[in-house]
Amino acid sequence: AVAAVAAREALLSATAAASRAVGARHNPDRELLGQGLANIAAPLFGGVPATGAIARTAVNVRSGARTRLAALTHAVILAAIVYLAAGLVAEIPLAALAGVLLATTVRMVETASILAIARATRADTVVMIATFLVTVVFDLVTAVAVGVGFAAILALRAVARSARIEQVPLEHDDHLAEEQDLLREHIVAYRIDGALFFAAAHRFLLELAEVSDVKVVILRMSRVTALDATGAIVLKDAIAKLEHRHITVLISGIKSEHIRPLDAVGVFTTPDNEQRHIFETTPRAISYARMLVLPDSRYAATRPED
């Protein structure tokens, strides 16, 4: 039970920090391995299991923290307070500390994310409300278990409804030469197959974040079978991280049933409130990408309408 609580707290802290810091991402496996080794070693020195704290992490990131030095500085200052000013700290009323925690908690609540989830799909709204009610009535650990259970059931239901058999005609053309041409032009296309929901969203973000040495990324979404609010938010974060590295992102082949959650979280608009380039077909996206990379080439004449 202690290990489960510690793992959940650490991953939530890392997720909270990554969502607030542009260009940052975390590796859950590395996070849990490092914390596990630390908690195995701590009892040898009379310590108790420890984990990251969401409240302190949020305050740290909001204050401008960007590197591991921030966490080390935080630990050193806390140690100095405990050993050098314990008498003074003991005189601080608990009501004052509770007020500080309440203020921090209010700042951690992202109203825009809550409204976006509520507008995205009915299933995400049910999961959010159920998790909130269980947190108030019981405790956070129980709420996380209930919320994940609800999300798993609804996600499997969505995947089952979207499953279909589609006949794909065999093509004898060799596209290897065209793909090599695109790579030489620093253009790469990714086709997303299957369901993009909470269980696969983080892996998708890690894979897409590894893209390098390209100028334009085309996301082909015609084969996405299921999409929830978490997948839409992760897609938006992935696009933001690519654009932060000055990589243009184009999207093609979005299905009509996926427009609502993507629009709710703001995938179709840039941070400057401009309309993002969306294309019905991949060839039109490729033509536009080539126009961006090689504006003076013959592809400029094939620029599609926005």
Side-chain angles (χ1 to χ4, degrees):
V2 172
V5 173
R8 184 263 308 161
E9 188 83 6
L11 294 180
L12 285 178
S13 300
T15 302
S19 64
R20 287 172 171 79
V22 177
R25 60 186 179 90
H26 73 284
N27 187 331
D29 295 336
R30 185 175 180 181
E31 187 81 24
L32 295 179
L33 178 61
Q35 180 180 280
L37 293 176
N39 283 334
I40 290 175
L44 301 178
F45 301 92
V48 297
T51 180
I54 301 174
R56 292 199 298 271
T57 300
V59 172
N60 215 355
V61 175
R62 192 180 295 274
S63 301
R66 290 293 181 270
T67 66
R68 298 179 182 88
L69 182 61
L72 181 61
T73 304
H74 175 264
V76 171
I77 292 176
L78 281 183
I81 292 176
V82 170
Y83 288 104
L84 301 178
L88 295 176
V89 174
E91 300 298 326
I92 299 177
L94 291 180
L97 297 178
V100 172
L101 289 177
L102 286 174
T104 302
T105 302
V106 171
R107 291 182 179 180
M108 288 173 57
V109 176
E110 297 182 358
T111 306
S113 297
I114 294 176
L115 295 177
I117 291 175
R119 293 196 304 264
T121 62
R122 188 176 302 174
D124 292 303
T125 305
V126 170
V127 173
M128 180 176 63
I129 294 176
T131 305
F132 172 78
L133 293 177
V134 175
T135 302
V136 175
V137 176
F138 298 100
D139 54 67
L140 185 58
V141 178
T142 304
V144 171
V146 171
V148 171
F150 266 97
I153 294 173
L154 294 175
L156 291 176
R157 176 171 171 265
V159 171
R161 284 188 169 186
S162 64
R164 62 176 60 91
I165 299 175
E166 183 178 358
Q167 183 177 359
V168 180
L170 296 177
E171 297 179 358
H172 301 286
D173 297 334
D174 185 9
H175 299 284
L176 182 60
E178 182 181 358
E179 292 174 359
Q180 293 298 328
D181 290 338
L182 290 176
L183 288 176
R184 283 194 294 268
E185 296 167 9
H186 301 285
I187 302 172
V188 63
Y190 283 90
R191 187 181 68 197
I192 306 173
D193 292 336
L196 184 60
F197 61 110
F198 74 97
H202 184 75
R203 185 179 69 253
F204 165 78
L205 177 59
L206 287 179
E207 293 177 358
L208 196 57
E210 297 297 332
V211 177
S212 60
D213 195 30
V214 297
K215 297 179 180 179
V216 180
V217 169
I218 302 174
L219 297 180
R220 303 172 58 184
M221 301 186 61
S222 60
R223 296 194 179 184
V224 174
T225 57
L227 177 72
D228 67 352
T230 302
I233 291 174
V234 169
L235 179 63
K236 178 184 176 182
D237 291 341
I239 293 174
K241 292 180 187 299
L242 290 174
E243 292 180 340
H244 180 69
R245 293 161 50 195
H246 306 290
I247 298 176
T248 303
V249 179
L250 308 178
I251 304 176
S252 67
I254 298 178
K255 295 182 179 179
S256 57
E257 60 266 28
H258 300 154
I259 293 179
R260 180 181 175 185
L262 292 174
D263 185 54
V265 301
V267 172
F268 298 145
T269 56
T270 65
D272 299 329
N273 292 325
E274 297 180 358
Q275 194 70 19
R276 198 180 302 280
H277 293 292
I278 310 297
F279 301 88
E280 294 181 359
T281 62
T282 301
R284 296 186 66 185
I286 293 176
S287 298
Y288 187 80
R290 282 172 164 164
M291 186 276 298
L292 292 177
V293 177
L294 305 170
D296 297 329
S297 71
R298 58 188 174 89
Y299 299 109
T302 63
R303 176 177 177 175
E305 295 298 327
D306 291 343

